[in-house]
Amino acid sequence: MKGLKVAVIGGGSSYTPELIDGFIKRNHELPVKEIHLVDIEEGKWKLDIVGELAKRMIKKAGLDTEVILTLDRKAAIKNADFVLTQFRVGGLDARARDERIPLKYDVLGQETTGPGGFAKAMRTIPVIMDICKDIENLAPNAWLINFTNPAGLITETILKYTNTKAIGLCNVPIGMVKMVANMLEVDSERIKIDFAGLNHLVWGKCVYLDGEDVTDVVIDKLTDGAELNMKNIPDLKWDEDFLRGLKMIPCPYHRYFYMTDDLVKEEQETAYNGKGTRAEQVKKIEKELFKVYENPNLNEKPSQLEKRGGAYYSDAAVSLISAIYNDKKEIHTVNVINNGAIKNISDDVVVEINAVVDATGANGISLGELPIEASGLVEAVKSYELIAAQAGVTGDYQKALQSLVSNPLVPSVKVAKALLEDIIKQNKDYLPQF
Amino acid sequence: MKGLKVAVIGGGSSYTPELIDGFIKRNHELPVKEIHLVDIEEGKWKLDIVGELAKRMIKKAGLDTEVILTLDRKAAIKNADFVLTQFRVGGLDARARDERIPLKYDVLGQETTGPGGFAKAMRTIPVIMDICKDIENLAPNAWLINFTNPAGLITETILKYTNTKAIGLCNVPIGMVKMVANMLEVDSERIKIDFAGLNHLVWGKCVYLDGEDVTDVVIDKLTDGAELNMKNIPDLKWDEDFLRGLKMIPCPYHRYFYMTDDLVKEEQETAYNGKGTRAEQVKKIEKELFKVYENPNLNEKPSQLEKRGGAYYSDAAVSLISAIYNDKKEIHTVNVINNGAIKNISDDVVVEINAVVDATGANGISLGELPIEASGLVEAVKSYELIAAQAGVTGDYQKALQSLVSNPLVPSVKVAKALLEDIIKQNKDYLPQF
Amino acid sequence: MKGLKVAVIGGGSSYTPELIDGFIKRNHELPVKEIHLVDIEEGKWKLDIVGELAKRMIKKAGLDTEVILTLDRKAAIKNADFVLTQFRVGGLDARARDERIPLKYDVLGQETTGPGGFAKAMRTIPVIMDICKDIENLAPNAWLINFTNPAGLITETILKYTNTKAIGLCNVPIGMVKMVANMLEVDSERIKIDFAGLNHLVWGKCVYLDGEDVTDVVIDKLTDGAELNMKNIPDLKWDEDFLRGLKMIPCPYHRYFYMTDDLVKEEQETAYNGKGTRAEQVKKIEKELFKVYENPNLNEKPSQLEKRGGAYYSDAAVSLISAIYNDKKEIHTVNVINNGAIKNISDDVVVEINAVVDATGANGISLGELPIEASGLVEAVKSYELIAAQAGVTGDYQKALQSLVSNPLVPSVKVAKALLEDIIKQNKDYLPQF
Amino acid sequence: MKGLKVAVIGGGSSYTPELIDGFIKRNHELPVKEIHLVDIEEGKWKLDIVGELAKRMIKKAGLDTEVILTLDRKAAIKNADFVLTQFRVGGLDARARDERIPLKYDVLGQETTGPGGFAKAMRTIPVIMDICKDIENLAPNAWLINFTNPAGLITETILKYTNTKAIGLCNVPIGMVKMVANMLEVDSERIKIDFAGLNHLVWGKCVYLDGEDVTDVVIDKLTDGAELNMKNIPDLKWDEDFLRGLKMIPCPYHRYFYMTDDLVKEEQETAYNGKGTRAEQVKKIEKELFKVYENPNLNEKPSQLEKRGGAYYSDAAVSLISAIYNDKKEIHTVNVINNGAIKNISDDVVVEINAVVDATGANGISLGELPIEASGLVEAVKSYELIAAQAGVTGDYQKALQSLVSNPLVPSVKVAKALLEDIIKQNKDYLPQF
């Protein structure tokens, strides 16, 4: 059993203690020798704080894993076994702009969905392409586990335009399993959900409890007020007739597509009159978090981290890495090429599905057809993602416009163009390709 | 050469002289013995007026074709060779409601696209299902040529839920060919357009002049102000960057998807402060038209009919019938099952494509892939159509809701539900299935 | 944990002690309350002998599982949780005829492949259809685990023409894993093979040792004389150039397709001058086996059973049942509907692939494309199977002829017809459908 | 109307007068300025004879088309509008070897089907690749009309491995239409056959007379002794049960797959004891033909040419060229990429189907599914072709072996290897790639 080298790009993230906690918990099966936390100059102060906490956590756990803090990405990637990407180009300020720009045009302002997600993708693609080049040159056998949002679109870009071995990961599916288990008051191990769709647009086609179909029961609970939501999404209730007609479990993010009008209003109110956009709120939370992290006596994941969101992040990431490393043949919900798993969705695009994960990677499990209640929306959003990936890689302005026009949340070419102009202007430092 | 029997359901339509004119012009190759103009009690006065004009037109042309005016649909269908459906359940009053209901919710109000098209489909499906039952019983070898809007959705319903041999037809593609020919100042025979998409959502993937690709030239003309439009659609200009990125020719109806916001505003203004919705305008035009038709000295298609829209209707319909009857192996743009013609669109759904038409019907011509700039929207709208067809046939309220939710022009479940309630209430006389 | 009811159709088989042994070994996770061994009048004497041995084995193991010997199939199936089919219509005598008939025409004579498999399928289909009817009526939630050969074709028939929940199983894939492990001198747990193809026509597309691709190493071993074979197949050596060009691992049965001429000669020699066909040899082995079984002091699986073939049978069957019962999400190689798992093979046909097995059944794992070196042969043999299933269900003589003509081992229509006449004549007691 | 330049590679062929005749007949719609007849040094004497006849024919017809006889292929191709390939690498001597080699191993010996076709493909591929390179460099807009056999495999190679615009053509489909018309005693214009399959393995899925399905009538005629055959194929009768079960019209070449045993015997007899293989017979016919051609008074296509076979060759070729040149949108049966036209056959392979031909090329017409009675054989033979194309282009010995193994007419790896060795040895002058 050789020791593993792990590189974490965006290592100064406030999430890092969550991740370190995950490595500590799975230490018995995952012999990590070095964790390289990589960040850029602007993030050095955060890297230093969170990195020192990471070291204290490792020390307290009695492990000999070495934590290296560095701005030298290439050195960190060289010969790595796993590269994790959790960076955010432009930081929370850029995210706040992503959230505010669309609201001017009465369009949804959100980090991953709609024009905000588009802007984030355009900033992220040049950087992820560079990282992949480094991996191909310096660690061609490494697995890239991508968390950077919009995770589906970024994974699509990686798998279409580079030769990096990559899997996209998100905490929404595992979160849904836990929430459903909670709803049914059973252990989450007993729940299986047939996930199908795209990242942040994934449906539970069928929910099983000990192998028995309990989808209707879950829908009953949901129409009866049970909660299935994430921290960062307003908890608007689902319409009962809608859920019964859908016959599937929507993910929390589906609210952005199914309740767009109310959410735009809610966002505008929060942004203009209230406590600020989600990014602006998170900035405050992070400030407090880093103060907590700085405490030299703190040597474990602090409870305040939970407020930040990202629950189950370490669970999802480290258990996936372990499944690969230990050749586990275990089922994870991941973002991979469809390859026929969802029969009526394009074969060669990235989807979010259940897959068998082992040392060879993630192979999707055949799911049959996605009901037409979902498949049309999936193809529409996927078209947007494919064109966005192309625009992000090439910097083609007209493709960028097509991409926004193709996004179901953008109401017209005119608005798409205004949004694009605004996005390019406000992100000019981060969009070398345009 | 035996004489043909043609049944026209909705024979009292103001379009009928156009159709009669078409039969007269093609009389040399299409020996029609009987034309049965069928209508219902409420439309009897129109049937009488337009039917007498039809008789005078036939007489003037010196043909021995018999024109029969009747309210007995079964008798008209019995042993017919061709059945044409051009009826409108609820007439122009229902259409006006279809146009006005969505506007209340700031949603596009249009006869075929959006919730208006949905409402029209719900009214039409019970009637078309009955007609198809009649055809199966009384004229199983007859071809049903469907013009009734929303033509794509209705043809989808016929081909999915009945055993009738049917082809859906629309004057938009032929109109686009003529407009492009006009733009390029060439004879329309020299123009070929590779059409692909759905009815009223069809793109010209490629335009050829004498077999040479001139798509870019046409896009140049369009961005330079050339017109490509129908009578009933406001002539909003296309964005140049958008067209150049699209690299295809949109159909006039695409404005409803690409310029939704401006069109909703325009419709609201026209409906509330101006000359009324399109249906209300057409009502006035029709009133005048029928006055003209009543003139016992009129024995040809009057020039005023052009204002009504529906140009090339007779061309499209009668030349299609002739291609079938004469086993012509001629190319027509029709609504038929995809069957692999557009590679990246579902196989078993109705699409609008070029097809070879002969005595065996219409067989699509392989087109390859529809660019992703279009395919996502096609799948989204097709999902809506498929669910709407199901709702229309079964009267399932929850499916009807899903259908509206799936329509890209409906912004949320909440609005979809309000629309559905309103539509059902205002159409209660025509929706036996709900 | 409720006790399970298992019905074994063809319970008098000489394999039964193997199966009982499997249930005993997995007793800790599989609480079987009743095992019903079902047979028909002609097999009663075998059922009695093997059934009593089964009882003694259970007793020795100290279990309270009840073993019921019965000729009443309906009673055995009623409320069963699992139905296993291991029957053989016409017994070994019929098999001997299946092997001898083709040899007359210089065609391969084999139990599952070629005309012999066809004949066996024709005899089996009427019986399996009856069994499925019983299951649908008396135990609709039961899982049917089908071992009856030709297992792929019979499973195809079940899944196309009945509503029974069924999985087809064969010991070839598990055998190949064990043989490859043996070749590489590693524990078989460390080997994963990506199986793809049809039953008895399955390739190892890729072989992994601890997740690392070792296909080339295995091919090296094979070309170097290593063995990968079953008891019942002559061990002809593979051509080195052939294996290197194939770049996949053939299954032992592939010899029937790739070495047809030599095998026909070998079979003819064995049948005419030597020790008799395989069935005739097995008859002798069985006679001895049943003598051993009769010994009232024998209370465990005797070592002589190994000669009979069918190694790993209990492993494959009982571990599959346990994976379903315990909702294990474990990977098994089974015969199920393709459903997109092999991208370039028809979607709606039964294939032999790796699948995730849990309480909901077996869901194939996406494999991507099967190389064209294999896909053409798969489609050819699958066509034969599909037509044979149709012929077996309907008794359509012309379809039966088409089926034989479509079998790649049958050289011409003329030979196909002679074979069909002979098969029908020699099996007239077992072919009610013809 | 500019004058066309046509280059005919293999211009010294005995078929050339047929082709010239075709150009003369269509002169009114096809203004050919120059016909370049190209051959190689070894064929110069034939080129001279047939070329002079061509000139006399043109002169007699009163046309100003210039006929150029040349050994300079590049000059002939430069700026050509159409390039026709009808060459035969190694001439009839090589063909005779292709026919004789397989017979030694009791395998079918035929020019296009089986190992003979494989050998011919291996010789042809290096030459056709060179020609395509010339076309790409010197006449990138030219259409290559490929007649060189095996036409399907060669067209597959061109379309997979070069960027030449090419259509594969064969006289079998047009011949079948004429023979069916003859059988039904109607004009061939009234017959339409839905062709589907591969070159020399094409079925008439449905036959229409004036658009009415008469497939059953044709099958009745065929089972009643009517002839549907080519000059070069022994006229063995079809089995009635087989034809009725097939429910499609086989092509004459299907005999090689359905009556293999009898045909091998027939070929062996002809080759060893009789009049020689087909190539050897043709050699004699050609000798006589060229004597006839030499007659300076001959200025039209001589009647003796009919014996040579290749009926309808000029019809098929020149009418195809005219359909392209005149943008006719006419239906021709050609070899093109499937592209979804046959739904259950791989999308990206060359098939023989009906296609709409115009200035943009040939676009397949959707046919739906090919019955499983044919689809398995098609996929098997197509796999062979794809591997053969790969072997022919790369010279990979192991792929060449795989290719022969994949051919349904080759009984085993052992025979495949013996054949391959023999073929390579006997063709060493023509196989630079091996």
Side-chain angles (χ1 to χ4, degrees), chain B residues 297-428:
Chain B
N297 297 321
L298 181 74
N299 55 12
E300 52 180 30
K301 183 179 71 166
S303 61
Q304 293 94 324
L305 180 46
E306 268 180 42
K307 273 199 245 167
R308 172 68 186 86
Y312 319 119
Y313 166 46
S314 68
D315 247 36
V318 185
S319 74
L320 181 70
I321 290 172
S322 177
I324 296 173
Y325 176 73
N326 293 299
D327 196 25
K328 276 194 179 172
K329 296 160 185 63
E330 203 176 61
I331 298 175
H332 291 250
T333 309
V334 290
N335 286 266
V336 289
I337 296 291
N338 184 26
N339 222 356
I342 311 178
K343 245 167 85 169
N344 55 337
I345 295 298
S346 307
D347 260 7
D348 55 347
V349 301
V350 168
V351 290
E352 192 162 283
I353 46 172
N354 293 343
V356 176
V357 176
D358 61 20
T360 70
N363 295 293
I365 302 171
S366 289
L367 180 106
E369 302 225 334
L370 185 64
I372 46 173
E373 281 74 16
S375 62
L377 184 54
V378 164
E379 291 286 7
V381 173
K382 180 46 75 180
S383 284
Y384 146 72
E385 289 189 0
L386 290 167
I387 309 171
Q390 201 182 335
V393 169
T394 63
D396 181 323
Y397 177 88
Q398 288 167 353
K399 281 293 156 199
L401 179 59
Q402 285 294 325
S403 166
L404 276 171
V405 167
S406 299
N407 191 302
L409 298 177
V410 174
S412 68
V413 171
K414 198 175 70 178
V415 170
K417 202 161 187 181
L419 281 165
L420 181 57
E421 295 290 342
D422 220 342
I423 287 168
I424 291 181
K425 200 174 132 206
Q426 295 203 32
N427 286 281
K428 60 179 181 305

Side-chain angles (χ1 to χ4, degrees), chain A residues 224-257:
Chain A
D224 212 38
E227 251 187 76
L228 185 70
N229 205 9
M230 312 291 283
K231 279 232 151 43
N232 55 332
I233 302 175
D235 187 27
L236 302 187
K237 294 296 169 209
W238 293 104
D239 179 90
E240 186 175 336
D241 283 309
F242 169 68
L243 276 193
R244 294 211 188 280
L246 184 62
K247 291 180 200 300
M248 297 185 289
I249 313 299
C251 83
Y253 280 80
H254 272 114
R255 287 184 175 82
Y256 292 119
F257 288 92

Side-chain angles (χ1 to χ4, degrees), chain B residues 73 77 96 203 336:
Chain B
R73 193 177 71 197
I77 286 174
W203 286 262
V336 289

Side-chain angles (χ1 to χ4, degrees), chain B residues 9 72 180 215 217 226 228 239 252 260 262 378 420 426:
Chain B
I9 317 294
D72 183 347
V180 163
T215 317
V217 179
L228 185 69
D239 179 272
T260 320
D262 284 348
V378 164
L420 181 57
Q426 295 203 32

Side-chain angles (χ1 to χ4, degrees), chain A residues 238-247 257-262 265 344 346 372-377 379-381 383-384 386-387 390 397-399 401-402 405-406 408 410-415 417, chain B residues 238-247 257-262 265 344 346 372-377 379-381 383-384 386-387 390 397-399 401-402 405-406 408 410-415 417:
Chain A
W238 293 104
D239 179 90
E240 186 175 336
D241 283 309
F242 169 68
L243 276 193
R244 294 211 188 280
L246 184 62
K247 291 180 200 300
F257 288 92
Y258 291 136
M259 307 175 178
T260 320
D261 43 7
D262 284 348
K265 266 178 227 144
N344 56 336
S346 307
I372 46 172
E373 281 74 16
S375 62
L377 183 53
E379 292 286 7
V381 173
S383 284
Y384 147 73
L386 291 167
I387 309 171
Q390 201 183 334
Y397 177 87
Q398 288 167 352
K399 282 291 156 201
L401 178 60
Q402 285 294 326
V405 168
S406 299
V410 175
S412 69
V413 171
K414 197 176 71 178
V415 170
K417 201 160 188 181
Chain B
W238 293 104
D239 179 272
E240 185 173 336
D241 283 310
F242 169 68
L243 276 193
R244 293 209 188 282
L246 184 62
K247 293 180 200 301
F257 288 93
Y258 290 137
M259 306 174 177
T260 320
D261 43 7
D262 284 348
K265 266 179 226 146
N344 55 337
S346 307
I372 46 173
E373 281 74 16
S375 62
L377 184 54
E379 291 286 7
V381 173
S383 284
Y384 146 72
L386 290 167
I387 309 171
Q390 201 182 335
Y397 177 88
Q398 288 167 353
K399 281 293 156 199
L401 179 59
Q402 285 294 325
V405 167
S406 299
V410 174
S412 68
V413 171
K414 198 175 70 178
V415 170
K417 202 161 187 181

